Amino acid sequence: MSGKIIGLIIVLVLLLVLAGVIYLAYRKISGTVKSYSRMLFGTEDVRKGVQMMEAEYAATPKSVSSATGLYLPGIMKDFPEFHLEEMKGRAQNVLTSYLRGVDGGNSHLLTEGTRELRDKLDMRISMLRNAGIREHYERIRVHRIEIHKYRKDKGRSSIVFQAAAEHIHYQEQNGAVVRGRKDRMEQTKYNVEVSYIQDVELVENASDMGLAMVCPNCGAPLPSLGAKTCAYCDSPVLELNLRAWNFTDVELAER
């Protein structure tokens, strides 16, 4: 047998040995991966396990940063007629209608809010339209909403509600999805701010004048939080305390 043949046989044997080592290593690694996958996901299929984990994450509501118990006593002291559940309901409606306004490209779908909030929504719709993008929010559901912050500054009081919500969210351009998914729910958090002007003479931002409490009879502004009757027509205004709160902002909360 020539030396070339012997050399070829040796190379083949070494290749077979190497292939066997690689195969055994693959089997061992594969077994280890399957074992960990089974332990973590309940299945040996890693891809299926990751998909299951993504689906579970998409179905699990976000936790909100609740400070209701901390701030509510102070709010009730400042505003005895404040109704928490009713205000939470209003905040939820504002958030839902804001997202529907984006989805429909129509700011008139916003149920209530200041001129600035409507302008913000109009600007977002205009930017999307100019970019040739349609942004969709479907199957919107709010799981929980709580007080996140309470601020008082120069005649203005503001409450920030934080809401845990879910929806299908995606953007389309030229008929193709460019962001998000049509087939999976998305869990997220939003901050919804509502403000009350306690004294219009102390507020620095002139645009906030639209938040001030007004007389239900003659429309005259009421510059003081403690005013129970209109100084111009003497009409009672006690029952309008809750209505004096107006929604000023909706934004995505920090993740």
Side-chain angles (χ1 to χ4, degrees):
M1 185 179 293
S2 67
K4 289 184 178 181
I5 296 177
I6 295 174
L8 180 60
I9 293 174
I10 293 173
V11 170
L12 290 174
V13 171
L14 291 175
L15 289 175
L16 288 173
V17 171
L18 180 60
V21 171
I22 293 174
Y23 175 74
L24 291 175
Y26 166 78
R27 288 292 302 272
K28 184 175 181 180
I29 293 173
S30 177
T32 302
V33 170
K34 288 181 179 179
S35 177
Y36 277 110
S37 178
R38 186 168 54 251
M39 181 174 60
L40 292 173
F41 309 125
T43 176
E44 292 184 352
D45 189 329
V46 177
R47 181 179 298 179
K48 183 178 179 181
V50 171
Q51 292 175 346
M52 291 169 57
M53 184 177 67
E54 290 177 347
E56 183 177 355
Y57 179 79
T60 303
K62 294 280 188 178
S63 59
V64 298
S65 179
S66 173
T68 300
L70 176 65
Y71 290 122
L72 186 58
I75 295 172
M76 294 303 300
K77 181 179 179 181
D78 295 336
F79 302 93
E81 283 99 26
F82 181 85
H83 297 281
L84 176 62
E85 293 305 316
E86 185 170 350
M87 191 63 75
K88 286 167 66 173
R90 287 176 62 190
Q92 178 173 326
N93 288 337
V94 167
L95 171 59
T96 302
S97 64
Y98 183 91
L99 298 179
R100 285 175 178 162
V102 176
D103 178 82
N106 184 2
S107 64
H108 293 293
L109 294 176
L110 184 65
T111 55
E112 61 172 307
T114 61
R115 182 180 66 253
E116 287 70 30
L117 180 56
R118 293 182 185 275
D119 287 346
K120 177 180 178 179
L121 178 54
D122 273 326
M123 183 178 297
R124 179 170 176 178
I125 292 171
S126 178
M127 291 176 63
L128 289 167
R129 186 176 293 123
N130 291 337
I133 295 174
R134 285 291 307 274
E135 186 166 15
H136 297 277
Y137 289 92
E138 302 171 359
R139 295 168 57 186
I140 304 167
R141 179 185 178 191
V142 177
H143 293 287
R144 185 184 179 193
I145 185 166
E146 298 290 346
I147 295 174
H148 178 53
K149 293 179 182 177
Y150 177 47
R151 300 187 294 258
K152 294 191 293 183
D153 181 47
K154 295 183 179 180
R156 172 179 177 145
S157 296
S158 297
I159 299 173
V160 177
F161 288 94
Q162 189 165 100
E166 71 173 14
H167 44 55
I168 291 177
H169 176 217
Y170 61 97
Q171 293 181 347
E172 287 184 310
Q173 188 173 36
N174 299 323
V177 176
V178 295
R179 183 181 179 186
R181 295 180 58 168
K182 287 185 174 183
D183 61 345
R184 178 163 293 174
M185 300 298 290
E186 178 184 85
Q187 303 291 335
T188 189
K189 295 187 295 185
Y190 292 93
N191 289 337
V192 182
E193 183 173 352
V194 60
S195 298
Y196 186 106
I197 300 302
Q198 294 174 281
D199 194 332
V200 296
E201 295 179 357
L202 295 179
V203 178
E204 293 179 344
N205 187 356
S207 65
D208 285 334
M209 294 291 287
L211 299 173
M213 191 173 179
V214 297
C215 173
N217 183 47
C218 68
L222 303 169
S224 173
L225 173 64
K228 301 302 181 183
T229 58
C230 175
Y232 294 89
C233 68
D234 204 37
S235 296
V237 295
L238 179 62
E239 299 304 320
L240 290 184
N241 193 356
L242 181 63
R243 297 181 189 175
W245 293 92
N246 209 342
F247 289 88
T248 55
D249 198 17
V250 173
E251 64 178 4
L252 191 66
E254 294 182 3
R255 296 183 182 274

